[in-house]
PDB file of all heavy atoms in Angstrom:
ATOM      1  N   GLU R 417      -7.951  64.036 -53.068  1.00  0.00           N
ATOM      2  CA  GLU R 417      -8.628  62.746 -52.728  1.00  0.00           C
ATOM      3  C   GLU R 417      -9.606  62.346 -53.709  1.00  0.00           C
ATOM      4  O   GLU R 417     -10.228  63.180 -54.446  1.00  0.00           O
ATOM      5  CB  GLU R 417      -9.308  62.837 -51.276  1.00  0.00           C
ATOM      6  CG  GLU R 417     -10.392  63.805 -51.138  1.00  0.00           C
ATOM      7  CD  GLU R 417     -10.953  63.916 -49.716  1.00  0.00           C
ATOM      8  OE1 GLU R 417     -10.278  63.506 -48.748  1.00  0.00           O
ATOM      9  OE2 GLU R 417     -12.039  64.352 -49.580  1.00  0.00           O
ATOM     10  N   LYS R 457     -19.776  55.468 -48.426  1.00  0.00           N
ATOM     11  CA  LYS R 457     -19.333  56.712 -49.012  1.00  0.00           C
ATOM     12  C   LYS R 457     -17.993  57.120 -48.351  1.00  0.00           C
ATOM     13  O   LYS R 457     -17.953  57.189 -47.140  1.00  0.00           O
ATOM     14  CB  LYS R 457     -20.404  57.866 -48.829  1.00  0.00           C
ATOM     15  CG  LYS R 457     -21.739  57.495 -49.355  1.00  0.00           C
ATOM     16  CD  LYS R 457     -22.847  58.233 -48.714  1.00  0.00           C
ATOM     17  CE  LYS R 457     -24.206  57.658 -48.991  1.00  0.00           C
ATOM     18  NZ  LYS R 457     -24.466  57.252 -50.395  1.00  0.00           N
ATOM     19  N   ASN R 533     -24.275  65.985 -40.885  1.00  0.00           N
ATOM     20  CA  ASN R 533     -23.484  65.833 -42.108  1.00  0.00           C
ATOM     21  C   ASN R 533     -22.363  66.790 -42.118  1.00  0.00           C
ATOM     22  O   ASN R 533     -22.174  67.575 -43.147  1.00  0.00           O
ATOM     23  CB  ASN R 533     -24.334  66.046 -43.327  1.00  0.00           C
ATOM     24  CG  ASN R 533     -25.501  65.023 -43.336  1.00  0.00           C
ATOM     25  OD1 ASN R 533     -25.254  63.837 -43.022  1.00  0.00           O
ATOM     26  ND2 ASN R 533     -26.731  65.450 -43.725  1.00  0.00           N
ATOM     27  N   SER R 534     -21.692  66.981 -41.055  1.00  0.00           N
ATOM     28  CA  SER R 534     -20.521  67.890 -41.032  1.00  0.00           C
ATOM     29  C   SER R 534     -19.230  67.113 -41.144  1.00  0.00           C
ATOM     30  O   SER R 534     -18.223  67.659 -41.369  1.00  0.00           O
ATOM     31  CB  SER R 534     -20.539  68.836 -39.838  1.00  0.00           C
ATOM     32  OG  SER R 534     -20.655  68.127 -38.643  1.00  0.00           O
ATOM     33  N   GLY R 535     -19.386  65.854 -40.970  1.00  0.00           N
ATOM     34  CA  GLY R 535     -18.152  64.932 -41.033  1.00  0.00           C
ATOM     35  C   GLY R 535     -17.513  64.743 -39.687  1.00  0.00           C
ATOM     36  O   GLY R 535     -16.244  64.349 -39.606  1.00  0.00           O
ATOM     37  N   LYS R 536     -18.274  64.702 -38.635  1.00  0.00           N
ATOM     38  CA  LYS R 536     -17.732  64.517 -37.201  1.00  0.00           C
ATOM     39  C   LYS R 536     -17.102  63.203 -37.037  1.00  0.00           C
ATOM     40  O   LYS R 536     -15.930  63.023 -36.631  1.00  0.00           O
ATOM     41  CB  LYS R 536     -18.893  64.700 -36.121  1.00  0.00           C
ATOM     42  CG  LYS R 536     -19.551  66.034 -36.167  1.00  0.00           C
ATOM     43  CD  LYS R 536     -20.735  65.975 -35.178  1.00  0.00           C
ATOM     44  CE  LYS R 536     -21.944  65.239 -35.602  1.00  0.00           C
ATOM     45  NZ  LYS R 536     -22.560  65.622 -36.864  1.00  0.00           N
ATOM     46  N   THR R 537     -17.930  62.168 -37.529  1.00  0.00           N
ATOM     47  CA  THR R 537     -17.324  60.787 -37.366  1.00  0.00           C
ATOM     48  C   THR R 537     -16.061  60.688 -38.161  1.00  0.00           C
ATOM     49  O   THR R 537     -15.092  60.002 -37.713  1.00  0.00           O
ATOM     50  CB  THR R 537     -18.384  59.768 -37.740  1.00  0.00           C
ATOM     51  OG1 THR R 537     -19.554  60.062 -36.987  1.00  0.00           O
ATOM     52  CG2 THR R 537     -17.915  58.409 -37.542  1.00  0.00           C
ATOM     53  N   SER R 538     -16.000  61.179 -39.424  1.00  0.00           N
ATOM     54  CA  SER R 538     -14.899  61.046 -40.228  1.00  0.00           C
ATOM     55  C   SER R 538     -13.678  61.789 -39.604  1.00  0.00           C
ATOM     56  O   SER R 538     -12.503  61.323 -39.539  1.00  0.00           O
ATOM     57  CB  SER R 538     -15.078  61.688 -41.581  1.00  0.00           C
ATOM     58  OG  SER R 538     -16.227  61.128 -42.045  1.00  0.00           O
ATOM     59  N   ARG R 727     -30.376  56.823 -43.480  1.00  0.00           N
ATOM     60  CA  ARG R 727     -30.011  56.469 -42.096  1.00  0.00           C
ATOM     61  C   ARG R 727     -30.848  55.211 -41.543  1.00  0.00           C
ATOM     62  O   ARG R 727     -30.329  54.432 -40.951  1.00  0.00           O
ATOM     63  CB  ARG R 727     -30.319  57.694 -41.172  1.00  0.00           C
ATOM     64  CG  ARG R 727     -29.315  58.783 -41.343  1.00  0.00           C
ATOM     65  CD  ARG R 727     -29.727  59.983 -40.670  1.00  0.00           C
ATOM     66  NE  ARG R 727     -28.954  61.202 -41.116  1.00  0.00           N
ATOM     67  CZ  ARG R 727     -27.670  61.528 -40.658  1.00  0.00           C
ATOM     68  NH1 ARG R 727     -27.081  60.748 -39.616  1.00  0.00           N
ATOM     69  NH2 ARG R 727     -27.049  62.614 -41.106  1.00  0.00           N
TER      70      ARG R 727
HETATM   71  N1  LIG U2236     -14.119  63.585 -47.763  1.00  0.00           N
HETATM   72  C1  LIG U2236     -15.110  62.659 -47.946  1.00  0.00           C
HETATM   73  N2  LIG U2236     -15.415  62.172 -49.097  1.00  0.00           N
HETATM   74  C2  LIG U2236     -16.403  61.258 -49.360  1.00  0.00           C
HETATM   75  N3  LIG U2236     -17.243  60.898 -48.437  1.00  0.00           N
HETATM   76  C3  LIG U2236     -17.124  61.498 -47.190  1.00  0.00           C
HETATM   77  C4  LIG U2236     -15.994  62.408 -46.923  1.00  0.00           C
HETATM   78  N4  LIG U2236     -16.048  62.715 -45.532  1.00  0.00           N
HETATM   79  C5  LIG U2236     -17.181  62.113 -45.071  1.00  0.00           C
HETATM   80  N5  LIG U2236     -17.696  61.370 -45.998  1.00  0.00           N
HETATM   81  C6  LIG U2236     -18.988  60.556 -45.865  1.00  0.00           C
HETATM   82  O1  LIG U2236     -20.066  61.399 -45.590  1.00  0.00           O
HETATM   83  C7  LIG U2236     -20.986  60.851 -44.698  1.00  0.00           C
HETATM   84  C8  LIG U2236     -21.211  61.699 -43.500  1.00  0.00           C
HETATM   85  O2  LIG U2236     -20.052  61.766 -42.827  1.00  0.00           O
HETATM   86  P1  LIG U2236     -19.900  61.622 -41.193  1.00  0.00           P
HETATM   87  O3  LIG U2236     -20.624  60.520 -40.781  1.00  0.00           O
HETATM   88  O4  LIG U2236     -18.377  61.708 -40.923  1.00  0.00           O
HETATM   89  O5  LIG U2236     -20.665  62.918 -40.740  1.00  0.00           O
HETATM   90  P2  LIG U2236     -21.337  63.187 -39.276  1.00  0.00           P
HETATM   91  O6  LIG U2236     -21.269  64.691 -39.159  1.00  0.00           O
HETATM   92  O7  LIG U2236     -20.575  62.398 -38.278  1.00  0.00           O
HETATM   93  O8  LIG U2236     -22.752  62.691 -39.530  1.00  0.00           O
HETATM   94  P3  LIG U2236     -24.050  62.698 -38.695  1.00  0.00           P
HETATM   95  O9  LIG U2236     -24.961  63.653 -39.310  1.00  0.00           O
HETATM   96  O10 LIG U2236     -24.587  61.342 -38.631  1.00  0.00           O
HETATM   97  O11 LIG U2236     -23.710  63.186 -37.209  1.00  0.00           O
HETATM   98  C9  LIG U2236     -20.393  59.476 -44.293  1.00  0.00           C
HETATM   99  O12 LIG U2236     -20.897  58.427 -45.156  1.00  0.00           O
HETATM  100  C10 LIG U2236     -18.875  59.666 -44.633  1.00  0.00           C
HETATM  101  O13 LIG U2236     -18.287  58.400 -44.897  1.00  0.00           O
END
Side-chain angles (χ1 to χ4, degrees):
E417 69 184 16
K457 301 159 195 316
N533 305 316
S534 54
K536 298 175 290 301
T537 304
S538 307
R727 288 173 194 272

